[in-house]
Amino acid sequence: MPILYSYWRSSASYRVRIGLALKGIRFETVPVSLIDGEQAGADYASINPQKVLPALRLDDGRVLTQSLAILEYLDEAFPQHPLLPADPFERAKVRAFSAVIASDTHPIQNLSVLKYLRASFDQDDDGVAVWARHWIGRGLETLEPIAAASEGDFIFGDEPGLAEVCLIPQLYNAARFKVELDRFPALVAIDAACAELPAFRSAAPQTQPDTP
Ligand SMILES: N[C@@H](CCC(=O)N[C@@H](CS)C(=O)NCC(=O)O)C(=O)O
């Protein structure tokens, strides 16, 4: 069985948990505590030298890192419940939506950036939260009209895929940082639709083995 190195509140881990669940792949979770700094310890660094979560250890012992690379690998190796559409143009659109989150939004509000703001730029909890809210809001503003224009049950059709895999963890972060979500009704509607699905429920931060 594959092993997912994960932390309950890590949104990059959350993406991979959703992807695995949508594809019906059973896996073992090995929690790595970001609060205790376990990601920077020698044990985990020997698995992922970048010292960030997640990492996925395959049955043959090989390890994959970077959530989007892991998800694309899963999509190619396990064709059931495709995360990307077959058409190249549509694939590019889903990847662009996902990149707004995974490349342009999440990286500037993740733990190490917020810790750096605190330690080197003298920011307190409020200052850090204002920063996170600003950048998350900018990302969601880009995505809201795309979701609003959808004619399907989900953002790019009638099934959830990579777009929802990236969006739902980002909305969880948005709520954590008290982003005003009323501004994004189409995204909130997608969040509610995903919350009905077992794959999203089983991947949610509230239901992980290391959830406090
Ligand atoms: N681009 C990476 C981001 C990984 C990442 O930043 N993970 C966060 C948790 S969501 C982490 O482990 N942070 C630990 C740290 O910053 O020390 C991915 O998508 O896998």
Side-chain angles (χ1 to χ4, degrees), residues 9-13 15 34 39 50-54 65-68 102 106-107 110-113 115:
R9 224 155 53 164
S10 147
S11 63
S13 305
R15 290 177 202 147
L34 294 186
Q39 79 278 17
Q50 198 188 355
K51 303 175 186 169
V52 293
L53 292 168
T65 59
Q66 284 289 340
S67 61
L68 287 199
H106 170 259
N110 81 4
L111 182 64
S112 55
V113 170
K115 277 166 82 172

PDB file of all heavy atoms in Angstrom, residues 9-13 15 34 39 50-54 65-68 102 106-107 110-113 115, ligand 1:
ATOM      1  N   ARG A   9      -3.449  19.502   8.543  1.00  0.00           N
ATOM      2  CA  ARG A   9      -3.836  20.837   8.088  1.00  0.00           C
ATOM      3  C   ARG A   9      -3.002  21.327   6.909  1.00  0.00           C
ATOM      4  O   ARG A   9      -3.162  22.465   6.479  1.00  0.00           O
ATOM      5  CB  ARG A   9      -3.708  21.810   9.265  1.00  0.00           C
ATOM      6  CG  ARG A   9      -4.881  22.725   9.363  1.00  0.00           C
ATOM      7  CD  ARG A   9      -5.095  23.246  10.723  1.00  0.00           C
ATOM      8  NE  ARG A   9      -3.928  23.880  11.314  1.00  0.00           N
ATOM      9  CZ  ARG A   9      -4.008  24.667  12.377  1.00  0.00           C
ATOM     10  NH1 ARG A   9      -5.172  24.919  12.929  1.00  0.00           N
ATOM     11  NH2 ARG A   9      -2.933  25.189  12.894  1.00  0.00           N
ATOM     12  N   SER A  10      -2.133  20.479   6.398  1.00  0.00           N
ATOM     13  CA  SER A  10      -1.327  20.869   5.236  1.00  0.00           C
ATOM     14  C   SER A  10      -2.184  20.803   3.983  1.00  0.00           C
ATOM     15  O   SER A  10      -2.714  19.749   3.614  1.00  0.00           O
ATOM     16  CB  SER A  10      -0.123  19.923   5.105  1.00  0.00           C
ATOM     17  OG  SER A  10       0.221  19.726   3.749  1.00  0.00           O
ATOM     18  N   SER A  11      -2.308  21.939   3.286  1.00  0.00           N
ATOM     19  CA  SER A  11      -3.218  21.922   2.137  1.00  0.00           C
ATOM     20  C   SER A  11      -2.613  21.177   0.955  1.00  0.00           C
ATOM     21  O   SER A  11      -3.345  20.608   0.147  1.00  0.00           O
ATOM     22  CB  SER A  11      -3.672  23.327   1.758  1.00  0.00           C
ATOM     23  OG  SER A  11      -2.599  24.101   1.358  1.00  0.00           O
ATOM     24  N   ALA A  12      -1.281  21.142   0.840  1.00  0.00           N
ATOM     25  CA  ALA A  12      -0.684  20.354  -0.250  1.00  0.00           C
ATOM     26  C   ALA A  12      -0.908  18.853   0.008  1.00  0.00           C
ATOM     27  O   ALA A  12      -1.166  18.080  -0.928  1.00  0.00           O
ATOM     28  CB  ALA A  12       0.804  20.679  -0.378  1.00  0.00           C
ATOM     29  N   SER A  13      -0.850  18.438   1.280  1.00  0.00           N
ATOM     30  CA  SER A  13      -1.169  17.040   1.618  1.00  0.00           C
ATOM     31  C   SER A  13      -2.650  16.752   1.349  1.00  0.00           C
ATOM     32  O   SER A  13      -3.009  15.683   0.825  1.00  0.00           O
ATOM     33  CB  SER A  13      -0.892  16.762   3.105  1.00  0.00           C
ATOM     34  OG  SER A  13       0.422  17.081   3.453  1.00  0.00           O
ATOM     35  N   ARG A  15      -4.551  18.077  -0.850  1.00  0.00           N
ATOM     36  CA  ARG A  15      -4.780  17.850  -2.294  1.00  0.00           C
ATOM     37  C   ARG A  15      -4.546  16.390  -2.658  1.00  0.00           C
ATOM     38  O   ARG A  15      -5.347  15.777  -3.374  1.00  0.00           O
ATOM     39  CB  ARG A  15      -3.790  18.674  -3.126  1.00  0.00           C
ATOM     40  CG  ARG A  15      -3.995  20.138  -3.108  1.00  0.00           C
ATOM     41  CD  ARG A  15      -2.881  20.832  -3.912  1.00  0.00           C
ATOM     42  NE  ARG A  15      -2.750  22.212  -3.499  1.00  0.00           N
ATOM     43  CZ  ARG A  15      -1.612  22.898  -3.468  1.00  0.00           C
ATOM     44  NH1 ARG A  15      -0.470  22.338  -3.861  1.00  0.00           N
ATOM     45  NH2 ARG A  15      -1.599  24.134  -3.066  1.00  0.00           N
ATOM     46  N   LEU A  34       3.928  19.426  11.398  1.00  0.00           N
ATOM     47  CA  LEU A  34       4.504  20.728  11.040  1.00  0.00           C
ATOM     48  C   LEU A  34       4.634  21.618  12.269  1.00  0.00           C
ATOM     49  O   LEU A  34       5.500  22.493  12.319  1.00  0.00           O
ATOM     50  CB  LEU A  34       3.632  21.431   9.987  1.00  0.00           C
ATOM     51  CG  LEU A  34       3.545  20.780   8.600  1.00  0.00           C
ATOM     52  CD1 LEU A  34       2.777  21.679   7.643  1.00  0.00           C
ATOM     53  CD2 LEU A  34       4.917  20.458   8.033  1.00  0.00           C
ATOM     54  N   GLN A  39       9.043  18.057   9.855  1.00  0.00           N
ATOM     55  CA  GLN A  39       9.384  18.082   8.420  1.00  0.00           C
ATOM     56  C   GLN A  39      10.854  18.449   8.200  1.00  0.00           C
ATOM     57  O   GLN A  39      11.419  18.146   7.152  1.00  0.00           O
ATOM     58  CB  GLN A  39       8.456  19.043   7.653  1.00  0.00           C
ATOM     59  CG  GLN A  39       8.771  20.519   7.765  1.00  0.00           C
ATOM     60  CD  GLN A  39       8.224  21.154   9.031  1.00  0.00           C
ATOM     61  OE1 GLN A  39       7.870  20.474   9.994  1.00  0.00           O
ATOM     62  NE2 GLN A  39       8.153  22.470   9.063  1.00  0.00           N
ATOM     63  N   GLN A  50      13.459  18.554   0.426  1.00  0.00           N
ATOM     64  CA  GLN A  50      12.919  19.915   0.460  1.00  0.00           C
ATOM     65  C   GLN A  50      12.288  20.225   1.818  1.00  0.00           C
ATOM     66  O   GLN A  50      11.986  21.382   2.113  1.00  0.00           O
ATOM     67  CB  GLN A  50      11.883  20.110  -0.665  1.00  0.00           C
ATOM     68  CG  GLN A  50      11.619  21.576  -0.972  1.00  0.00           C
ATOM     69  CD  GLN A  50      10.455  21.791  -1.935  1.00  0.00           C
ATOM     70  OE1 GLN A  50       9.882  20.839  -2.471  1.00  0.00           O
ATOM     71  NE2 GLN A  50      10.100  23.040  -2.152  1.00  0.00           N
ATOM     72  N   LYS A  51      12.048  19.167   2.618  1.00  0.00           N
ATOM     73  CA  LYS A  51      11.510  19.334   3.979  1.00  0.00           C
ATOM     74  C   LYS A  51      10.121  19.965   3.984  1.00  0.00           C
ATOM     75  O   LYS A  51       9.803  20.814   4.824  1.00  0.00           O
ATOM     76  CB  LYS A  51      12.467  20.154   4.852  1.00  0.00           C
ATOM     77  CG  LYS A  51      13.862  19.560   4.945  1.00  0.00           C
ATOM     78  CD  LYS A  51      14.784  20.477   5.719  1.00  0.00           C
ATOM     79  CE  LYS A  51      16.203  19.962   5.683  1.00  0.00           C
ATOM     80  NZ  LYS A  51      17.189  20.893   6.184  1.00  0.00           N
ATOM     81  N   VAL A  52       9.313  19.615   2.996  1.00  0.00           N
ATOM     82  CA  VAL A  52       7.907  20.040   2.984  1.00  0.00           C
ATOM     83  C   VAL A  52       7.043  18.811   2.706  1.00  0.00           C
ATOM     84  O   VAL A  52       7.502  17.816   2.138  1.00  0.00           O
ATOM     85  CB  VAL A  52       7.613  21.130   1.917  1.00  0.00           C
ATOM     86  CG1 VAL A  52       8.317  22.432   2.270  1.00  0.00           C
ATOM     87  CG2 VAL A  52       7.984  20.658   0.519  1.00  0.00           C
ATOM     88  N   LEU A  53       5.795  18.938   3.109  1.00  0.00           N
ATOM     89  CA  LEU A  53       4.813  17.877   2.850  1.00  0.00           C
ATOM     90  C   LEU A  53       4.026  18.227   1.594  1.00  0.00           C
ATOM     91  O   LEU A  53       3.853  19.395   1.283  1.00  0.00           O
ATOM     92  CB  LEU A  53       3.851  17.764   4.047  1.00  0.00           C
ATOM     93  CG  LEU A  53       4.516  17.248   5.324  1.00  0.00           C
ATOM     94  CD1 LEU A  53       3.591  17.456   6.510  1.00  0.00           C
ATOM     95  CD2 LEU A  53       4.883  15.777   5.177  1.00  0.00           C
ATOM     96  N   PRO A  54       3.516  17.253   0.884  1.00  0.00           N
ATOM     97  CA  PRO A  54       3.543  15.830   1.193  1.00  0.00           C
ATOM     98  C   PRO A  54       4.678  15.115   0.452  1.00  0.00           C
ATOM     99  O   PRO A  54       5.389  15.704  -0.360  1.00  0.00           O
ATOM    100  CB  PRO A  54       2.204  15.367   0.612  1.00  0.00           C
ATOM    101  CG  PRO A  54       2.088  16.206  -0.646  1.00  0.00           C
ATOM    102  CD  PRO A  54       2.683  17.545  -0.302  1.00  0.00           C
ATOM    103  N   THR A  65       7.452  13.568  -4.734  1.00  0.00           N
ATOM    104  CA  THR A  65       7.187  14.787  -3.965  1.00  0.00           C
ATOM    105  C   THR A  65       6.485  15.797  -4.871  1.00  0.00           C
ATOM    106  O   THR A  65       6.338  15.568  -6.069  1.00  0.00           O
ATOM    107  CB  THR A  65       8.500  15.413  -3.446  1.00  0.00           C
ATOM    108  OG1 THR A  65       9.339  15.713  -4.562  1.00  0.00           O
ATOM    109  CG2 THR A  65       9.221  14.460  -2.502  1.00  0.00           C
ATOM    110  N   GLN A  66       6.096  16.917  -4.292  1.00  0.00           N
ATOM    111  CA  GLN A  66       5.363  18.000  -4.966  1.00  0.00           C
ATOM    112  C   GLN A  66       3.954  17.514  -5.329  1.00  0.00           C
ATOM    113  O   GLN A  66       3.767  16.658  -6.192  1.00  0.00           O
ATOM    114  CB  GLN A  66       6.101  18.511  -6.207  1.00  0.00           C
ATOM    115  CG  GLN A  66       7.281  19.405  -5.871  1.00  0.00           C
ATOM    116  CD  GLN A  66       6.860  20.773  -5.323  1.00  0.00           C
ATOM    117  OE1 GLN A  66       5.739  21.232  -5.499  1.00  0.00           O
ATOM    118  NE2 GLN A  66       7.764  21.414  -4.619  1.00  0.00           N
ATOM    119  N   SER A  67       2.972  18.108  -4.666  1.00  0.00           N
ATOM    120  CA  SER A  67       1.599  17.604  -4.778  1.00  0.00           C
ATOM    121  C   SER A  67       1.107  17.527  -6.230  1.00  0.00           C
ATOM    122  O   SER A  67       0.459  16.542  -6.613  1.00  0.00           O
ATOM    123  CB  SER A  67       0.648  18.461  -3.933  1.00  0.00           C
ATOM    124  OG  SER A  67       0.643  19.794  -4.382  1.00  0.00           O
ATOM    125  N   LEU A  68       1.411  18.538  -7.056  1.00  0.00           N
ATOM    126  CA  LEU A  68       0.883  18.482  -8.421  1.00  0.00           C
ATOM    127  C   LEU A  68       1.565  17.385  -9.232  1.00  0.00           C
ATOM    128  O   LEU A  68       0.920  16.717 -10.053  1.00  0.00           O
ATOM    129  CB  LEU A  68       1.020  19.834  -9.128  1.00  0.00           C
ATOM    130  CG  LEU A  68       0.070  20.930  -8.653  1.00  0.00           C
ATOM    131  CD1 LEU A  68      -0.043  22.032  -9.692  1.00  0.00           C
ATOM    132  CD2 LEU A  68      -1.320  20.417  -8.325  1.00  0.00           C
ATOM    133  N   ALA A 102      -1.902  26.638  -6.768  1.00  0.00           N
ATOM    134  CA  ALA A 102      -0.697  25.917  -6.335  1.00  0.00           C
ATOM    135  C   ALA A 102       0.593  26.683  -6.632  1.00  0.00           C
ATOM    136  O   ALA A 102       1.593  26.497  -5.937  1.00  0.00           O
ATOM    137  CB  ALA A 102      -0.660  24.542  -6.998  1.00  0.00           C
ATOM    138  N   HIS A 106      -1.025  29.689  -2.835  1.00  0.00           N
ATOM    139  CA  HIS A 106      -0.584  28.922  -1.667  1.00  0.00           C
ATOM    140  C   HIS A 106       0.878  29.195  -1.281  1.00  0.00           C
ATOM    141  O   HIS A 106       1.179  29.365  -0.091  1.00  0.00           O
ATOM    142  CB  HIS A 106      -0.829  27.418  -1.910  1.00  0.00           C
ATOM    143  CG  HIS A 106      -0.211  26.554  -0.877  1.00  0.00           C
ATOM    144  ND1 HIS A 106       0.981  25.879  -1.095  1.00  0.00           N
ATOM    145  CD2 HIS A 106      -0.583  26.257   0.387  1.00  0.00           C
ATOM    146  CE1 HIS A 106       1.298  25.211  -0.007  1.00  0.00           C
ATOM    147  NE2 HIS A 106       0.369  25.412   0.902  1.00  0.00           N
ATOM    148  N   PRO A 107       1.819  29.276  -2.270  1.00  0.00           N
ATOM    149  CA  PRO A 107       3.226  29.434  -1.865  1.00  0.00           C
ATOM    150  C   PRO A 107       3.505  30.697  -1.056  1.00  0.00           C
ATOM    151  O   PRO A 107       4.445  30.700  -0.262  1.00  0.00           O
ATOM    152  CB  PRO A 107       3.981  29.473  -3.210  1.00  0.00           C
ATOM    153  CG  PRO A 107       3.097  28.747  -4.158  1.00  0.00           C
ATOM    154  CD  PRO A 107       1.693  29.072  -3.724  1.00  0.00           C
ATOM    155  N   ASN A 110       2.050  30.063   2.806  1.00  0.00           N
ATOM    156  CA  ASN A 110       2.301  28.829   3.544  1.00  0.00           C
ATOM    157  C   ASN A 110       3.191  29.080   4.758  1.00  0.00           C
ATOM    158  O   ASN A 110       3.669  30.186   4.988  1.00  0.00           O
ATOM    159  CB  ASN A 110       2.802  27.710   2.620  1.00  0.00           C
ATOM    160  CG  ASN A 110       4.270  27.818   2.313  1.00  0.00           C
ATOM    161  OD1 ASN A 110       4.952  28.690   2.837  1.00  0.00           O
ATOM    162  ND2 ASN A 110       4.759  26.936   1.464  1.00  0.00           N
ATOM    163  N   LEU A 111       3.350  28.035   5.532  1.00  0.00           N
ATOM    164  CA  LEU A 111       3.943  28.160   6.861  1.00  0.00           C
ATOM    165  C   LEU A 111       5.299  28.864   6.865  1.00  0.00           C
ATOM    166  O   LEU A 111       5.521  29.783   7.658  1.00  0.00           O
ATOM    167  CB  LEU A 111       4.066  26.749   7.464  1.00  0.00           C
ATOM    168  CG  LEU A 111       4.625  26.656   8.871  1.00  0.00           C
ATOM    169  CD1 LEU A 111       3.695  27.345   9.859  1.00  0.00           C
ATOM    170  CD2 LEU A 111       4.822  25.188   9.259  1.00  0.00           C
ATOM    171  N   SER A 112       6.205  28.463   5.969  1.00  0.00           N
ATOM    172  CA  SER A 112       7.564  29.016   6.063  1.00  0.00           C
ATOM    173  C   SER A 112       7.576  30.503   5.725  1.00  0.00           C
ATOM    174  O   SER A 112       8.338  31.277   6.319  1.00  0.00           O
ATOM    175  CB  SER A 112       8.528  28.238   5.165  1.00  0.00           C
ATOM    176  OG  SER A 112       8.051  28.226   3.855  1.00  0.00           O
ATOM    177  N   VAL A 113       6.710  30.922   4.796  1.00  0.00           N
ATOM    178  CA  VAL A 113       6.642  32.340   4.435  1.00  0.00           C
ATOM    179  C   VAL A 113       6.077  33.140   5.618  1.00  0.00           C
ATOM    180  O   VAL A 113       6.600  34.199   5.982  1.00  0.00           O
ATOM    181  CB  VAL A 113       5.783  32.535   3.165  1.00  0.00           C
ATOM    182  CG1 VAL A 113       5.491  34.007   2.916  1.00  0.00           C
ATOM    183  CG2 VAL A 113       6.483  31.911   1.963  1.00  0.00           C
ATOM    184  N   LYS A 115       6.146  32.318   8.782  1.00  0.00           N
ATOM    185  CA  LYS A 115       7.137  32.325   9.869  1.00  0.00           C
ATOM    186  C   LYS A 115       8.236  33.358   9.591  1.00  0.00           C
ATOM    187  O   LYS A 115       8.703  34.053  10.494  1.00  0.00           O
ATOM    188  CB  LYS A 115       7.766  30.931  10.019  1.00  0.00           C
ATOM    189  CG  LYS A 115       6.915  29.988  10.853  1.00  0.00           C
ATOM    190  CD  LYS A 115       7.347  28.562  10.733  1.00  0.00           C
ATOM    191  CE  LYS A 115       8.492  28.168  11.600  1.00  0.00           C
ATOM    192  NZ  LYS A 115       8.719  26.691  11.547  1.00  0.00           N
TER     193      LYS A 115
HETATM  194  N1  LIG B   1       4.619  23.128  -3.853  1.00  0.00           N
HETATM  195  C1  LIG B   1       4.612  22.173  -2.770  1.00  0.00           C
HETATM  196  C2  LIG B   1       4.303  22.907  -1.482  1.00  0.00           C
HETATM  197  C3  LIG B   1       4.601  22.064  -0.284  1.00  0.00           C
HETATM  198  C4  LIG B   1       4.439  22.868   0.996  1.00  0.00           C
HETATM  199  O1  LIG B   1       4.756  24.074   1.073  1.00  0.00           O
HETATM  200  N2  LIG B   1       3.962  22.180   2.019  1.00  0.00           N
HETATM  201  C5  LIG B   1       3.768  22.829   3.281  1.00  0.00           C
HETATM  202  C6  LIG B   1       2.487  22.341   3.933  1.00  0.00           C
HETATM  203  S1  LIG B   1       1.073  22.736   2.957  1.00  0.00           S
HETATM  204  C7  LIG B   1       4.900  22.463   4.223  1.00  0.00           C
HETATM  205  O2  LIG B   1       5.255  21.318   4.353  1.00  0.00           O
HETATM  206  N3  LIG B   1       5.464  23.463   4.874  1.00  0.00           N
HETATM  207  C8  LIG B   1       6.482  23.219   5.832  1.00  0.00           C
HETATM  208  C9  LIG B   1       7.356  24.388   6.023  1.00  0.00           C
HETATM  209  O3  LIG B   1       7.119  25.404   5.365  1.00  0.00           O
HETATM  210  O4  LIG B   1       8.294  24.285   6.844  1.00  0.00           O
HETATM  211  C10 LIG B   1       3.579  21.076  -3.040  1.00  0.00           C
HETATM  212  O5  LIG B   1       2.606  21.376  -3.722  1.00  0.00           O
HETATM  213  O6  LIG B   1       3.783  19.919  -2.621  1.00  0.00           O
END
